[in-house]
Amino acid sequence: MKDFTDKVVVITGAASGMGREYALEFARLGALVAITDVNAEQLAETHKMVKAISGKSSLSEVLDIAAEESVTDFAGKVKRELGNAHIIINNAGIGGGGAPVWVQDNAQYHTTMQVNFFAVVYITKAFLPQLLTNQEGAVVNVSSVFGLLGTPGTSDYCASKFAVRGFTESLMVELADTPISVHLVHPGGIKTNIAKHSKNGAEFEEKYLKTDPLFAVREVIKGIKSGKQRMIFGYQSSLLRFLTLLPLKLRNRILHREMGDMRDPEHYGLLDQYSTSSPRS
């Protein structure tokens, strides 16, 4: 797809960060934008900014994308008010619990998977019939560089982003003989607020979240235009991509050392307790 004029573009997680930049950039390109988020106030701000850029029709909906029936209803509303969707940007996500496996609450795994993975499935399945009816369109699913390799304290987040990767790569094959393009995005350290609720969020943001969200959005749009199926970009993405080529033991040692200052001493102190309480043979 080369021209986005009057194309219907659905964007999740549009209240801030990359989601907001997707909405504004597609509005600049003449698209009809449908945006969602759970943050009503910030989503309204994004919608106001979209309307200031473009006089064309747009739609804003406060939506829990982890609620399947609500997603289905939203897809119907987009079709009624704007027409069939042409592009879906599965951008929304949460940062996860930020704790090692032995500390992480099982409920957090369910929450992270529901928002980061199952919502991608729900949105894709709800809107894909509209793209197929158009015989034109693009599905953009946002994974992460943490969907390429596992990192400490992020097992729920990595699991969800690996799941997005597997789902999307399968969809690429299934739609290979159709006019629908499928794109898998692995952003590196994009400067968003995804880590703000985690215990070490501010420290993580300062160390790793460096890349301007607008740069990331424009990379994705270039990828849609060129048909590029996998996109890896952002702060330290080249390094992490290189690490995937290394033997697993070496990679793990490097990551353990690199991200050591993100570890919570209280969490890792539990390992010492386990080792001293376990009988030695």
Side-chain angles (χ1 to χ4, degrees), residues 18 22 185 187 190 211-221 231 233-234:
M18 287 180 62
Y22 278 120
V185 183
I190 311 301
T211 301
D212 183 352
L214 182 56
F215 168 83
V217 164
R218 287 176 173 169
E219 285 296 299
V220 171
I221 290 175
M231 301 172 226
F233 52 76

PDB file of all heavy atoms in Angstrom, residues 18 22 185 187 190 211-221 231 233-234:
ATOM      1  N   MET A  18       3.824   5.934  20.951  1.00  0.00           N
ATOM      2  CA  MET A  18       3.762   5.576  19.542  1.00  0.00           C
ATOM      3  C   MET A  18       2.335   5.591  19.015  1.00  0.00           C
ATOM      4  O   MET A  18       2.096   5.983  17.867  1.00  0.00           O
ATOM      5  CB  MET A  18       4.386   4.187  19.319  1.00  0.00           C
ATOM      6  CG  MET A  18       5.896   4.158  19.425  1.00  0.00           C
ATOM      7  SD  MET A  18       6.587   2.500  19.167  1.00  0.00           S
ATOM      8  CE  MET A  18       6.068   2.153  17.482  1.00  0.00           C
ATOM      9  N   TYR A  22       1.201   7.486  15.707  1.00  0.00           N
ATOM     10  CA  TYR A  22       0.561   6.822  14.559  1.00  0.00           C
ATOM     11  C   TYR A  22      -0.676   7.601  14.127  1.00  0.00           C
ATOM     12  O   TYR A  22      -0.891   7.855  12.935  1.00  0.00           O
ATOM     13  CB  TYR A  22       0.125   5.402  14.931  1.00  0.00           C
ATOM     14  CG  TYR A  22       1.183   4.341  14.873  1.00  0.00           C
ATOM     15  CD1 TYR A  22       1.524   3.613  16.014  1.00  0.00           C
ATOM     16  CD2 TYR A  22       1.830   4.025  13.678  1.00  0.00           C
ATOM     17  CE1 TYR A  22       2.497   2.622  15.969  1.00  0.00           C
ATOM     18  CE2 TYR A  22       2.800   3.034  13.634  1.00  0.00           C
ATOM     19  CZ  TYR A  22       3.123   2.339  14.778  1.00  0.00           C
ATOM     20  OH  TYR A  22       4.078   1.351  14.740  1.00  0.00           O
ATOM     21  N   VAL A 185       6.583  -5.922  14.000  1.00  0.00           N
ATOM     22  CA  VAL A 185       7.440  -4.826  14.436  1.00  0.00           C
ATOM     23  C   VAL A 185       8.100  -5.198  15.764  1.00  0.00           C
ATOM     24  O   VAL A 185       7.422  -5.573  16.725  1.00  0.00           O
ATOM     25  CB  VAL A 185       6.630  -3.524  14.591  1.00  0.00           C
ATOM     26  CG1 VAL A 185       7.550  -2.373  14.974  1.00  0.00           C
ATOM     27  CG2 VAL A 185       5.873  -3.213  13.302  1.00  0.00           C
ATOM     28  N   PRO A 187      10.225  -3.111  18.097  1.00  0.00           N
ATOM     29  CA  PRO A 187      10.900  -1.874  18.499  1.00  0.00           C
ATOM     30  C   PRO A 187      11.909  -2.129  19.619  1.00  0.00           C
ATOM     31  O   PRO A 187      11.699  -2.965  20.497  1.00  0.00           O
ATOM     32  CB  PRO A 187       9.748  -0.997  19.012  1.00  0.00           C
ATOM     33  CG  PRO A 187       8.492  -1.682  18.590  1.00  0.00           C
ATOM     34  CD  PRO A 187       8.824  -3.126  18.487  1.00  0.00           C
ATOM     35  N   ILE A 190      12.065   2.577  22.654  1.00  0.00           N
ATOM     36  CA  ILE A 190      11.300   3.752  22.226  1.00  0.00           C
ATOM     37  C   ILE A 190      10.859   4.522  23.465  1.00  0.00           C
ATOM     38  O   ILE A 190      10.392   3.934  24.460  1.00  0.00           O
ATOM     39  CB  ILE A 190      10.057   3.343  21.407  1.00  0.00           C
ATOM     40  CG1 ILE A 190      10.442   2.335  20.305  1.00  0.00           C
ATOM     41  CG2 ILE A 190       9.408   4.584  20.813  1.00  0.00           C
ATOM     42  CD1 ILE A 190      11.467   2.829  19.314  1.00  0.00           C
ATOM     43  N   THR A 211      14.645   6.292  21.877  1.00  0.00           N
ATOM     44  CA  THR A 211      14.274   6.634  20.504  1.00  0.00           C
ATOM     45  C   THR A 211      12.957   7.398  20.442  1.00  0.00           C
ATOM     46  O   THR A 211      11.979   7.035  21.112  1.00  0.00           O
ATOM     47  CB  THR A 211      14.172   5.355  19.648  1.00  0.00           C
ATOM     48  OG1 THR A 211      15.441   4.689  19.665  1.00  0.00           O
ATOM     49  CG2 THR A 211      13.802   5.672  18.206  1.00  0.00           C
ATOM     50  N   ASP A 212      12.911   8.433  19.635  1.00  0.00           N
ATOM     51  CA  ASP A 212      11.721   9.249  19.439  1.00  0.00           C
ATOM     52  C   ASP A 212      10.596   8.394  18.840  1.00  0.00           C
ATOM     53  O   ASP A 212      10.794   7.738  17.817  1.00  0.00           O
ATOM     54  CB  ASP A 212      12.066  10.402  18.484  1.00  0.00           C
ATOM     55  CG  ASP A 212      10.916  11.360  18.268  1.00  0.00           C
ATOM     56  OD1 ASP A 212       9.796  11.083  18.715  1.00  0.00           O
ATOM     57  OD2 ASP A 212      11.146  12.403  17.611  1.00  0.00           O
ATOM     58  N   PRO A 213       9.395   8.392  19.446  1.00  0.00           N
ATOM     59  CA  PRO A 213       8.291   7.594  18.904  1.00  0.00           C
ATOM     60  C   PRO A 213       7.940   7.934  17.456  1.00  0.00           C
ATOM     61  O   PRO A 213       7.556   7.047  16.689  1.00  0.00           O
ATOM     62  CB  PRO A 213       7.123   7.927  19.841  1.00  0.00           C
ATOM     63  CG  PRO A 213       7.764   8.357  21.109  1.00  0.00           C
ATOM     64  CD  PRO A 213       9.034   9.045  20.714  1.00  0.00           C
ATOM     65  N   LEU A 214       8.075   9.208  17.069  1.00  0.00           N
ATOM     66  CA  LEU A 214       7.740   9.592  15.699  1.00  0.00           C
ATOM     67  C   LEU A 214       8.684   8.923  14.701  1.00  0.00           C
ATOM     68  O   LEU A 214       8.267   8.516  13.617  1.00  0.00           O
ATOM     69  CB  LEU A 214       7.779  11.110  15.538  1.00  0.00           C
ATOM     70  CG  LEU A 214       7.397  11.638  14.150  1.00  0.00           C
ATOM     71  CD1 LEU A 214       6.018  11.153  13.733  1.00  0.00           C
ATOM     72  CD2 LEU A 214       7.458  13.159  14.115  1.00  0.00           C
ATOM     73  N   PHE A 215       9.961   8.796  15.061  1.00  0.00           N
ATOM     74  CA  PHE A 215      10.896   8.073  14.202  1.00  0.00           C
ATOM     75  C   PHE A 215      10.418   6.637  14.001  1.00  0.00           C
ATOM     76  O   PHE A 215      10.410   6.112  12.880  1.00  0.00           O
ATOM     77  CB  PHE A 215      12.292   8.062  14.823  1.00  0.00           C
ATOM     78  CG  PHE A 215      13.244   7.102  14.162  1.00  0.00           C
ATOM     79  CD1 PHE A 215      13.924   7.447  13.008  1.00  0.00           C
ATOM     80  CD2 PHE A 215      13.434   5.816  14.686  1.00  0.00           C
ATOM     81  CE1 PHE A 215      14.790   6.548  12.386  1.00  0.00           C
ATOM     82  CE2 PHE A 215      14.296   4.918  14.083  1.00  0.00           C
ATOM     83  CZ  PHE A 215      14.974   5.282  12.928  1.00  0.00           C
ATOM     84  N   ALA A 216       9.996   5.999  15.096  1.00  0.00           N
ATOM     85  CA  ALA A 216       9.528   4.615  15.012  1.00  0.00           C
ATOM     86  C   ALA A 216       8.306   4.501  14.111  1.00  0.00           C
ATOM     87  O   ALA A 216       8.217   3.588  13.271  1.00  0.00           O
ATOM     88  CB  ALA A 216       9.207   4.100  16.416  1.00  0.00           C
ATOM     89  N   VAL A 217       7.370   5.409  14.272  1.00  0.00           N
ATOM     90  CA  VAL A 217       6.145   5.387  13.466  1.00  0.00           C
ATOM     91  C   VAL A 217       6.468   5.543  11.981  1.00  0.00           C
ATOM     92  O   VAL A 217       5.916   4.835  11.126  1.00  0.00           O
ATOM     93  CB  VAL A 217       5.191   6.497  13.947  1.00  0.00           C
ATOM     94  CG1 VAL A 217       4.097   6.771  12.924  1.00  0.00           C
ATOM     95  CG2 VAL A 217       4.589   6.112  15.294  1.00  0.00           C
ATOM     96  N   ARG A 218       7.361   6.448  11.669  1.00  0.00           N
ATOM     97  CA  ARG A 218       7.705   6.657  10.255  1.00  0.00           C
ATOM     98  C   ARG A 218       8.440   5.454   9.671  1.00  0.00           C
ATOM     99  O   ARG A 218       8.306   5.163   8.473  1.00  0.00           O
ATOM    100  CB  ARG A 218       8.511   7.944  10.113  1.00  0.00           C
ATOM    101  CG  ARG A 218       7.625   9.175  10.299  1.00  0.00           C
ATOM    102  CD  ARG A 218       8.371  10.489  10.278  1.00  0.00           C
ATOM    103  NE  ARG A 218       7.421  11.598  10.300  1.00  0.00           N
ATOM    104  CZ  ARG A 218       7.753  12.879  10.493  1.00  0.00           C
ATOM    105  NH1 ARG A 218       9.030  13.206  10.706  1.00  0.00           N
ATOM    106  NH2 ARG A 218       6.822  13.814  10.489  1.00  0.00           N
ATOM    107  N   GLU A 219       9.200   4.744  10.495  1.00  0.00           N
ATOM    108  CA  GLU A 219       9.837   3.504  10.034  1.00  0.00           C
ATOM    109  C   GLU A 219       8.777   2.463   9.685  1.00  0.00           C
ATOM    110  O   GLU A 219       8.890   1.753   8.684  1.00  0.00           O
ATOM    111  CB  GLU A 219      10.773   2.957  11.112  1.00  0.00           C
ATOM    112  CG  GLU A 219      12.075   3.725  11.253  1.00  0.00           C
ATOM    113  CD  GLU A 219      12.933   3.635  10.003  1.00  0.00           C
ATOM    114  OE1 GLU A 219      13.335   2.515   9.624  1.00  0.00           O
ATOM    115  OE2 GLU A 219      13.187   4.700   9.381  1.00  0.00           O
ATOM    116  N   VAL A 220       7.755   2.362  10.504  1.00  0.00           N
ATOM    117  CA  VAL A 220       6.684   1.399  10.241  1.00  0.00           C
ATOM    118  C   VAL A 220       5.925   1.774   8.972  1.00  0.00           C
ATOM    119  O   VAL A 220       5.620   0.909   8.138  1.00  0.00           O
ATOM    120  CB  VAL A 220       5.725   1.310  11.441  1.00  0.00           C
ATOM    121  CG1 VAL A 220       4.496   0.474  11.085  1.00  0.00           C
ATOM    122  CG2 VAL A 220       6.441   0.707  12.639  1.00  0.00           C
ATOM    123  N   ILE A 221       5.624   3.051   8.804  1.00  0.00           N
ATOM    124  CA  ILE A 221       4.887   3.478   7.613  1.00  0.00           C
ATOM    125  C   ILE A 221       5.709   3.223   6.355  1.00  0.00           C
ATOM    126  O   ILE A 221       5.174   2.776   5.325  1.00  0.00           O
ATOM    127  CB  ILE A 221       4.480   4.959   7.746  1.00  0.00           C
ATOM    128  CG1 ILE A 221       3.397   5.087   8.831  1.00  0.00           C
ATOM    129  CG2 ILE A 221       3.976   5.515   6.409  1.00  0.00           C
ATOM    130  CD1 ILE A 221       3.000   6.499   9.154  1.00  0.00           C
ATOM    131  N   MET A 231      10.296  -5.600  10.956  1.00  0.00           N
ATOM    132  CA  MET A 231      10.970  -4.326  11.188  1.00  0.00           C
ATOM    133  C   MET A 231      11.576  -4.321  12.585  1.00  0.00           C
ATOM    134  O   MET A 231      10.872  -4.552  13.573  1.00  0.00           O
ATOM    135  CB  MET A 231       9.990  -3.165  11.045  1.00  0.00           C
ATOM    136  CG  MET A 231       9.321  -3.092   9.683  1.00  0.00           C
ATOM    137  SD  MET A 231       8.018  -1.844   9.649  1.00  0.00           S
ATOM    138  CE  MET A 231       6.697  -2.736   8.850  1.00  0.00           C
ATOM    139  N   PHE A 233      14.035  -1.871  14.935  1.00  0.00           N
ATOM    140  CA  PHE A 233      14.652  -0.550  15.011  1.00  0.00           C
ATOM    141  C   PHE A 233      14.561  -0.051  16.436  1.00  0.00           C
ATOM    142  O   PHE A 233      13.902  -0.657  17.282  1.00  0.00           O
ATOM    143  CB  PHE A 233      13.957   0.437  14.061  1.00  0.00           C
ATOM    144  CG  PHE A 233      12.464   0.491  14.236  1.00  0.00           C
ATOM    145  CD1 PHE A 233      11.894   1.165  15.311  1.00  0.00           C
ATOM    146  CD2 PHE A 233      11.618  -0.152  13.350  1.00  0.00           C
ATOM    147  CE1 PHE A 233      10.528   1.206  15.500  1.00  0.00           C
ATOM    148  CE2 PHE A 233      10.240  -0.125  13.527  1.00  0.00           C
ATOM    149  CZ  PHE A 233       9.700   0.564  14.593  1.00  0.00           C
ATOM    150  N   GLY A 234      15.220   1.057  16.708  1.00  0.00           N
ATOM    151  CA  GLY A 234      15.153   1.660  18.034  1.00  0.00           C
ATOM    152  C   GLY A 234      16.420   1.418  18.829  1.00  0.00           C
ATOM    153  O   GLY A 234      17.282   0.613  18.462  1.00  0.00           O
TER     154      GLY A 234
END
